[in-house]
């Protein structure tokens, strides 16, 4: 596994929507498994099971690893407590 594989995994997740992206919507091949596991272990992204389906999300650390700013929580909090 190379650093480029890890970058590819994170950038692909970012491009696919960043949060709660269905695993089936990600064009990762089985060869990406080591990079995916590293991203999960290093907490660059999280995975969640819902209804037997897997969804992935970037973390703040994951955004930083690809040089992106995470979305602001302010609009979310405003809607939540509005």
């Amino acid at each position: 596994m190379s650093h480029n594989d890890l970058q590819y995994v994170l950038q692909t997740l970012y491009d696919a929507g960043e949060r709660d992206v269905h695993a089936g919507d990600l064009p990762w091949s089985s060869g990406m498994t080591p990079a995916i596991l590293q991203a999960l272990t290093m907490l660059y992204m999280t995975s969640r099971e819902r209804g037997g389906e897997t969804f992935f999300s970037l973390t703040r650390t994951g955004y930083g690893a690809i040089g992106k700013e995470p979305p602001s929580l302010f609009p979310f909090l405003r809607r939540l407590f509005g």
Side-chain angles (χ1 to χ4, degrees):
M1 187 205 67
S2 73
H3 177 72
N4 289 338
D5 291 342
L6 179 59
Q7 289 292 113
Y8 173 79
V9 164
L10 297 174
Q11 186 65 50
T12 301
L13 179 55
Y14 178 83
D15 293 342
E18 307 164 40
R19 299 195 45 81
D20 292 323
V21 178
H22 187 272
D25 294 336
L26 295 162
W28 296 335
S29 68
S30 60
M32 293 285 108
T33 300
I36 294 165
L37 292 175
Q38 182 180 14
L40 290 166
T41 301
M42 296 181 74
L43 301 178
Y44 289 149
M45 66 183 194
T46 60
S47 69
R48 177 184 342 191
E49 297 284 325
R50 279 194 317 246
E53 304 286 334
T54 303
F55 296 83
F56 292 95
S57 296
L58 281 175
T59 65
R60 291 185 69 78
T61 307
Y63 282 99
I66 57 173
K68 305 289 185 185
E69 280 292 316
S72 170
L73 288 178
F74 186 71
F76 169 75
L77 293 175
R78 187 174 347 142
R79 281 194 314 263
L80 186 63
F81 297 110

